[in-house]
Amino acid sequence: MNKRHSGINVGSSSILMIFVILCLVSFAALSIVSAHADYRLSNKIADRTRNYYEACNQAEEHIRDLDTVLHEIYASVETSEDYYAQAGSEQSFIIQMSDLQSLQVMVSILYPTAKTDPYYSITSWQVITTGSLEYKDSLNVIQ
């Protein structure tokens, strides 16, 4: 008597279960690596944003001091020529944000015609690259 069994063997269900577990472990490892990379990136962005706003605060303080000086110059002179002779026509300053970036602010000096007119106009407020962008680590390539 020949009996044929047509059905799923116990061994094939075990292999399927091992394959499913390996897939789940692989996806878990990829999720952990991705989450860690996102965490590092968000920390870098938070540091860059904090440095930018600290530089902006320093720039605002510098502009406040400039406004005070320009007000004193305006009160002490009689003509616009004397005003520009003491104040100049432009001022710029750079505030370091990190090793690679700085905040550059350019201010154009104005002669006010009335007491409510401004003493300056901000012509540029931008982040510039001050460091070298060369990579220090090299890749070993087989030639």
Side-chain angles (χ1 to χ4, degrees):
M1 282 195 197
N2 288 337
K3 291 184 179 179
R4 291 188 176 175
H5 295 286
S6 62
I8 299 175
N9 295 334
V10 177
S12 59
S13 64
S14 296
I15 290 174
L16 181 63
M17 186 61 80
I18 289 171
F19 178 72
V20 169
I21 289 173
L22 285 174
C23 288
L24 290 175
V25 168
S26 299
F27 288 140
L30 288 173
S31 296
I32 290 172
V33 169
S34 175
H36 185 65
D38 288 344
Y39 177 74
R40 285 193 332 237
L41 179 63
S42 64
N43 281 339
K44 285 181 184 179
I45 291 172
D47 289 341
R48 184 185 181 283
T49 303
R50 185 179 319 105
N51 291 341
Y52 174 75
Y53 283 113
E54 286 174 0
C56 285
N57 288 340
Q58 291 176 7
E60 291 288 342
E61 290 172 1
H62 191 276
I63 289 175
R64 180 198 60 205
D65 296 340
L66 176 65
D67 190 54
T68 303
V69 168
L70 292 175
H71 177 72
E72 292 171 357
I73 292 172
Y74 179 72
S76 68
V77 297
E78 304 237 348
T79 64
S80 63
E81 290 81 18
D82 294 337
Y83 177 80
Y84 284 120
Q86 289 185 24
S89 61
E90 284 186 343
Q91 283 198 7
S92 66
F93 51 93
I94 295 176
I95 298 171
Q96 192 76 22
M97 289 173 39
S98 67
D99 294 339
L100 294 174
Q101 293 182 324
S102 297
L103 178 66
Q104 180 183 29
V105 179
M106 296 179 143
V107 177
S108 178
I109 307 297
L110 304 175
Y111 183 76
T113 56
K115 288 187 176 184
T116 58
D117 288 346
Y119 296 106
Y120 60 88
S121 172
I122 298 173
T123 56
S124 173
W125 186 287
Q126 64 183 357
V127 176
I128 59 171
T129 303
T130 54
S132 173
L133 293 176
E134 294 179 16
Y135 293 106
K136 296 176 184 172
D137 298 333
S138 63
L139 296 175
N140 295 328
V141 179
I142 299 174
Q143 294 181 351

